[in-house]
Structures are given as structure tokens and as C-alpha cells.
Amino acid sequence: MATAESRDAPFFEALGSGPTIESRNIARALHVNKSQLADVLGVGADSLRRANRERAARIQTRMRDMVEIINRAQPWAGSINQAFAWYRSQPLPSFGGATAEELVKDGKAEAVKAYLARINEGGYA
């Protein structure tokens, strides 16, 4: 049984901080399969089914960006799953109503991270 501490651990810590993130760990933590995760990341499902493709810089960057954004949202979202739901569905007014997921897929992860940093500092979006 998971302790309160392990349930509330940041998502990234739950995955480890090694040089390579494995999609199966992310999928397990988010309760999705690899095909669904590929859709969320905006990559082909084959990109997550083969280890050599999963290790590609573009795929690793996309996974790390998503994990980092979910980590930043988790404290005020309440849990990893709620932060993941926010990531996928909450329109962000500062970005014309695009979600964090859409922005990451469009290569704008750094803008989302800056947005969350402003919010975490008590500023307005």
C-alpha cells in the first residue's frame, strides 16, 4: 500500500531523474497505455514502442517537458492525476485558450513553464 508521502511525491521523482525517461513509467503513473501517451505527446505510437525511438532527443524532450509541467501544476492541482487532467483540458487564457498539451505539442513548452512560474510566484497569468 502506498504511503501518503509516496502518493504525494512529485511525478518526476516517481519516475526517477536518470538520463532516459521510459514511457512505460509515465504511462503507468498516469493510468494510460502507451498509445494514449503517444497521443498526449503528439508523437506516433511507434515512437514509444521501440526503445531506440523512445530514446530519441525529440521524444525524451517532449516527455520531460510534460513531466516538468505536470510537476509544477501538481501542488495546486492536488494530485498527479488532477494535474494531468489540467494539462490536457484547461484552456489557458494567456495563450488564446490553448491547453498546456496543445502548447507542448506545438513546441511551446518553455512558454507554459514561464506561465506556471508566474502563477507560482503569485502573479497573474
Side-chain angles (χ1 to χ4, degrees), residues 20-102:
T20 303
I21 294 179
E22 293 186 23
S23 61
R24 68 185 159 99
N25 293 339
I26 294 174
R28 187 179 312 119
L30 297 176
H31 307 288
V32 298
N33 62 42
K34 281 190 174 189
S35 294
Q36 292 167 322
L37 181 60
D39 182 53
V40 170
L41 295 169
V43 300
D46 277 350
S47 298
L48 302 182
R49 288 192 187 115
R50 299 178 135 186
N52 63 330
R53 289 185 182 177
E54 183 176 288
R55 289 187 197 111
R58 181 176 80 87
I59 305 301
Q60 287 292 305
T61 298
R62 191 76 56 93
M63 287 193 290
R64 283 190 188 282
D65 286 340
M66 183 190 73
V67 167
E68 185 174 339
I69 290 167
I70 290 173
N71 269 348
R72 290 182 186 198
Q74 181 183 353
W76 47 263
S79 70
I80 292 169
N81 289 329
Q82 290 170 318
F84 183 54
W86 171 88
Y87 177 85
R88 297 210 66 200
S89 63
Q90 183 64 46
L92 305 178
S94 295
F95 299 100
T99 65
E101 175 184 4
E102 293 166 333

Side-chain angles (χ1 to χ4, degrees), residues 4-5 11 29 43-44 68 73 85 100 108 124:
E5 184 177 310
F11 184 35
V43 300
E68 185 174 339
K108 298 177 181 169
Y124 292 98

